[in-house]
Amino acid sequence: MNKTEIAAVLVDIGTLLELKGENPFKIRAYQSGARVVESLGEEELAQRIAAGTLEEVKGIGEALAQKITELAQTGRLGFYEKLKASIPAGLVEILSIPGIGPKKVKALHDKLGIDSIAKLQQACAAGRVAELEGFGEKTQEKIVEGIRNREAYGKRHLWLEAWQVAEPILLGLRVLKGVLHAEACGSLRRHMETVGDLDFLVATKTPEPIVAWFVQWPGVKEVTAQGETKASVRLGSGIQADLRLVPPEQFVFALHHFTGSKDHNIQMRHRALQRGLSMSEWGLVPAEGEGTAKQKAEERGRQTDIKTEEQLFAHLGLAFIPPELREGLGEIELAEAKKLPRLVEESDIRGVFHNHTTASDGHNTLEEMTAAAEALGFEFLGIADHSKSSFQARGLDEARLEEQVAAIKQLNAAKKFKTHVFSGTECDILPDGRLDFSAKTLAQLDYVVVSVHSSFKQSREEMTKRLIKAIEHPHVTMLGHLTGRLLLEREGYEVDVDKIVDAAIANGVIIELNASPWRLDMDWRHWRKAAEKGLLCAINPDAHSTAGLAHFRCGVGAARKGWLTRENILNTRPLRAVVDFFARK
Ligand code: DGT
Ligand code: CA
Ligand code: CA
Ligand code: ZN
C-alpha cells in the first residue's frame, strides 16, 4: 500500500471507532495519524518502515506505527478487518449520505434502532428523526434529500474513478496475446463528467481466451453475462463493464459506434444514408436498394481501406472529430466545413492557479506543493488558500495571509524550485457580495480568486447579484467554482450563468474551470458559447494535496468537451505573459 491508501485506512478506522462511540482521543489519534502519513514523503515512509523508526515521527505512537507497517508490508490489517466486521454494513452505508457523520449514525442506531438506509427512510417519513435531540426538521429534510440523490446518482460514477478502474484493465488487455487493439469507448472516452458503465472493445481473431481473462480479472465481483465474443461484469467498485470482441477489420466501425454518443451516432448514420451508405457497428455498407451491384462491390472494396477513425470520417467527407466533441451538438457540421477548433491538450498547460496548502485546509506545505508542481513540469503555481470567513477550512486572516505572502516571496527568491509561485487567495464572497478581505489586503497579492462557500440557499436572483457584485470588484482576477456543485452528491446553487458570463467578460474577469473531479464547474456545456463571446478560462485543480495537482488533467478533458482551444485558457500562456496579465489588473 502507498501512503495515500494507508492514510485512507486510518481515516476509515477513526470513523468506524466513532460509530462505535469509542474514546475521542483514540479517534483523534487515527485522524491525525492519517494526516501525518499523508505529509511524509513516499520514500521517507518506506525508509522509516524498513528501519523501524516510524515512532520517531511526531503524532505516531507505537500502536499506530505497527498498524502502518502491517498495511505497508501486507496491504492488509487484521485490526481493521475485525473492526469492519463488528459493525453492521448498513451503518457504514448511511455514512455515505451527505450531512450525516458518525455521531449522527450512532444516535440513529442507539435511539431508533436504524441500521440501514431503508429503515432511515421510513423513520424520516414518520417524522421520528426530526424529533431526535440534535436533529430537527431541517436535518431530517436534508437526509431525505440525500437519500433521494443517492438513488438518482447511485448508478453513475465520477469520470476519474471510472478511469482508475478502467485503465489497468485496458493496459492488461493490450498486452494479452492475440489482442491487436483495445480501447475503452463510451462516455469514458468522450470524457463525460460522470460515467454509467465501461465499454471495452478489442480487435482479435481469438476471442475465447480474452473473454476468459476478462471474467477472471481480480476486480470482478460478478459475471452478469458471458458469451463467445462478449462479456459483462460488475466490478468491486460497483461499476459495470462490457467487453466486446470483434475481428480486426470491424474494429474501427465498432470503435466509432461504441464511443457514441447516441445522438452523434444517429446524426452520422443519417449522413451516411444521404450518401447511400448504411453505417453501423459492423461496417459501412451500401444501403438497401441504393446503387447498382457494381457500385456496391466497389464500395465494399473501398471499405477495406478504412482502418482508422480519421479514414472513417474522411470517407463521409468529414475532418476527424475528437471523441470529446461527439455529443451531437453541431460537431458534424463544423467537421464538414473543416472548422473544428484545435482543442487544448494536457501538454499546453504550463501551470495552475487555485490550490491550497496546510495554511488552510490543504494536506501539504507550500514547499511540498511547489516541488510537486515542479515535478509536473509547471512554470508557475498559484497558491490560493481560504480566507477568514471559511473558518471550517482554517481560512487565513490578514496577518496569516501577510506571512504567506512573505514566505512565497522568500521561496521565489531562494530559487530552489524552477516553478514560480504566485501568491493569491480564494477569498470568500460574503452573502451580500462583498469580499472577505479589504481592497488594501487584496492589493498585496498577485491575483485573487473569489468563491461562494456559504448561504447556498439564496434565490437565483440574489445569488446572481451577489456573484456579479464580486466580479465587479476591481481586485478580482477570477471566479472560482461557479455553482458550487459536487458531482453525484450535491446540486449547485441556482445562478443565471449567462448574466455571470457577460459580467465576467465586461470586467475582464476569468471564470475558473474547477478541475477537481468532484466539481468540473463551470460545466462544459456552457464553455463553447462563453468562449465565443470572449470569456477567458483558467483550469484549476483546486488541489488540497500534491496528488490533487494532477487533477488539472480532468479539467483539460472538460475544457476539450467545452470546445476550448489553447487561446481560451490562461494556463497555456508562458510565465511572463501571466505575470503581465496579473499586473494589468
Ligand atoms: P453511459 O454508459 O451512460 O455513461 O453512456 P455511454 O455513452 O457510454 O452509453 P452506453 O454505455 O449505453 O453505450 C455506449 C455507446 O454505444 C453509446 O455512447 C452509443 C452506442 N449506443 C448504445 N446504444 C445505442 C443506441 O440505441 N443507438 C445508437 N445510435 N447508439 C447506441
Ligand atoms: Ca458506457
Ligand atoms: Ca455500456
Ligand atoms: Zn472553494
Side-chain angles (χ1 to χ4, degrees):
M1 268 192 184
N2 65 28
K3 65 168 189 175
T4 308
E5 291 164 328
I6 294 173
V9 171
L10 297 182
V11 169
D12 230 19
I13 292 176
T15 309
L16 295 172
L17 291 175
E18 222 174 332
L19 277 182
K20 295 195 96 166
E22 281 274 359
N23 168 349
F25 290 106
K26 203 167 158 188
I27 296 164
R28 229 169 293 147
Y30 282 98
Q31 291 165 340
S32 59
R35 279 195 295 274
V36 174
V37 168
E38 190 70 76
S39 71
L40 291 175
E42 202 75 69
E43 259 172 51
E44 183 184 357
L45 181 66
Q47 278 165 6
R48 284 192 177 275
I49 286 171
T53 60
L54 210 47
E55 276 174 64
E56 289 167 15
V57 180
K58 191 165 165 272
I60 298 187
E62 189 189 341
L64 208 52
Q66 274 174 7
K67 294 190 172 88
I68 294 168
T69 305
E70 189 177 334
L71 281 168
Q73 288 174 346
T74 69
R76 304 188 49 180
L77 180 60
F79 170 76
Y80 179 48
E81 314 271 326
K82 272 191 220 133
L83 182 63
K84 271 201 289 194
S86 74
I87 294 170
L91 291 189
V92 179
E93 215 176 357
I94 293 174
L95 261 184
S96 69
I97 299 170
I100 309 193
K103 280 203 191 68
K104 285 212 165 70
V105 177
K106 187 171 176 340
L108 289 166
H109 186 228
D110 292 351
K111 296 191 183 137
L112 299 177
I114 290 171
D115 58 5
S116 70
I117 290 185
K119 283 189 193 162
L120 177 58
Q121 200 166 17
Q122 286 162 8
C124 285
R128 276 184 289 139
V129 172
E131 288 163 10
L132 279 186
E133 197 189 316
F135 282 75
E137 285 291 342
K138 260 200 168 158
T139 305
Q140 180 171 291
E141 259 171 52
K142 240 183 117 180
I143 293 174
V144 171
E145 189 186 321
I147 296 175
R148 205 169 36 231
N149 284 346
R150 210 184 118 85
E151 283 166 359
Y153 297 150
K155 295 185 187 81
R156 298 192 69 81
H157 309 266
L158 293 181
W159 182 90
L160 184 64
E161 284 171 16
W163 174 246
Q164 283 166 348
V165 173
E167 191 185 23
I169 298 177
L170 192 57
L171 296 177
L173 283 170
R174 283 186 179 151
V175 297
L176 275 191
K177 200 164 161 261
V179 172
L180 300 164
H181 306 283
E183 196 56 76
C185 309
S187 50
L188 186 73
R189 186 167 181 236
R190 300 199 315 280
H191 241 288
M192 280 294 282
E193 66 275 28
T194 65
V195 169
D197 71 353
L198 306 177
D199 304 280
F200 294 103
L201 180 69
V202 162
T204 185
K205 290 178 181 160
T206 52
E208 289 93 319
I210 297 162
V211 171
W213 177 89
F214 182 68
V215 298
Q216 282 169 47
W217 175 256
V220 170
K221 251 197 180 156
E222 189 191 344
V223 180
T224 45
Q226 184 173 352
E228 272 167 38
T229 58
K230 59 180 177 186
S232 298
V233 299
R234 199 163 52 78
L235 294 154
S237 50
I239 196 164
Q240 315 247 9
D242 297 332
L243 169 70
R244 295 180 186 81
L245 303 110
V246 298
E249 64 279 6
Q250 195 201 318
F251 182 75
V252 62
F253 303 104
L255 175 64
H256 178 268
H257 175 86
F258 290 113
T259 296
S261 67
K262 202 170 153 182
D263 288 343
H264 169 88
N265 286 358
I266 290 168
Q267 293 175 20
M268 286 289 284
R269 210 175 299 156
H270 183 70
R271 184 178 178 87
L273 270 180
Q274 286 175 329
R275 297 168 174 241
L277 296 168
S278 161
M279 185 173 184
S280 74
E281 63 202 272
W282 311 105
L284 198 56
V285 296
E288 282 306 320
E290 303 266 335
T292 63
K294 183 163 170 265
Q295 280 171 333
K296 285 185 185 178
E298 275 171 9
E299 188 56 45
R300 284 213 181 81
R302 252 182 294 158
Q303 295 302 302
T304 54
D305 293 340
I306 301 178
K307 293 204 170 62
T308 65
E309 281 189 324
E310 279 83 358
Q311 291 164 348
L312 177 57
F313 283 113
H315 200 81
L316 295 171
L318 300 172
F320 176 75
I321 302 177
E324 293 91 337
L325 299 190
R326 300 184 199 168
E327 297 293 344
L329 297 172
E331 70 275 11
I332 295 174
E333 288 82 344
L334 269 87
E336 177 172 42
K338 309 279 187 280
K339 281 190 178 145
L340 284 177
R342 205 186 143 279
L343 300 180
V344 62
E345 287 171 24
E346 280 176 15
S347 58
D348 292 327
I349 301 298
R350 296 170 185 258
V352 291
F353 304 102
H354 169 186
N355 304 290
H356 298 266
T357 71
T358 43
S360 66
D361 59 349
H363 294 298
N364 290 100
T365 62
L366 172 62
E367 285 228 5
E368 288 164 346
M369 292 297 282
T370 312
E374 185 183 49
L376 284 167
F378 284 165
E379 289 174 31
F380 48 85
L381 171 74
I383 298 297
D385 271 313
H386 287 285
S387 62
K388 60 192 177 193
S389 287
S390 280
F391 48 86
Q392 74 292 345
R394 304 203 322 117
L396 279 60
D397 59 16
E398 286 78 0
R400 289 176 62 219
L401 181 64
E402 219 163 286
E403 274 171 38
Q404 189 181 56
V405 171
I408 290 176
K409 224 172 242 161
Q410 221 171 23
L411 187 70
N412 284 328
K415 297 208 182 308
K416 184 170 162 196
F417 300 104
K418 289 196 201 85
T419 305
H420 177 82
V421 182
F422 288 117
S423 13
T425 173
E426 182 182 17
C427 182
D428 268 21
I429 303 175
L430 304 177
D432 62 2
R434 284 181 306 127
L435 299 185
D436 203 11
F437 285 132
S438 70
K440 187 161 156 261
T441 300
L442 296 175
Q444 315 165 59
L445 302 169
D446 293 320
Y447 71 105
V448 173
V449 184
V450 290
S451 310
V452 165
H453 294 114
S454 63
S455 302
F456 285 16
K457 292 282 183 211
Q458 287 181 342
S459 71
R460 182 178 157 101
E461 288 69 37
E462 247 180 311
M463 188 60 88
T464 304
K465 237 174 84 187
R466 176 182 182 184
L467 290 181
I468 290 177
K469 183 162 176 196
I471 285 170
E472 287 173 345
H473 190 291
H475 283 97
V476 170
T477 321
M478 55 183 91
L479 174 65
H481 45 70
L482 174 67
T483 72
R485 75 175 180 188
L486 292 177
L487 290 167
L488 306 180
E489 202 173 297
R490 174 177 91 196
E491 297 289 329
Y493 36 79
E494 295 275 340
V495 58
D496 186 333
V497 175
D498 284 334
K499 277 198 183 148
I500 302 293
V501 166
D502 289 343
I505 295 170
N507 289 280
V509 165
I510 291 170
I511 291 184
E512 158 182 288
L513 199 177
N514 191 297
S516 158
W518 296 271
R519 294 186 182 269
L520 299 171
D521 184 15
M522 175 164 97
D523 188 279
W524 62 267
R525 294 160 188 83
H526 295 301
W527 275 109
R528 182 177 172 196
K529 191 168 129 203
E532 269 168 14
K533 283 197 208 167
L535 181 69
L536 191 59
C537 171
I539 293 178
N540 285 328
D542 196 353
H544 283 73
S545 68
T546 50
L549 283 173
H551 291 157
F552 84 90
R553 300 198 174 98
C554 299
V556 172
R560 288 171 63 85
K561 275 202 97 52
W563 293 60
L564 297 188
T565 68
R566 200 168 17 175
E567 290 70 32
N568 302 136
I569 299 169
L570 183 66
N571 313 59
T572 66
R573 300 189 189 172
L575 174 61
R576 288 263 39 107
V578 176
V579 170
D580 289 347
F581 181 89
F582 288 161
R584 262 180 277 136
K585 194 72 196 183

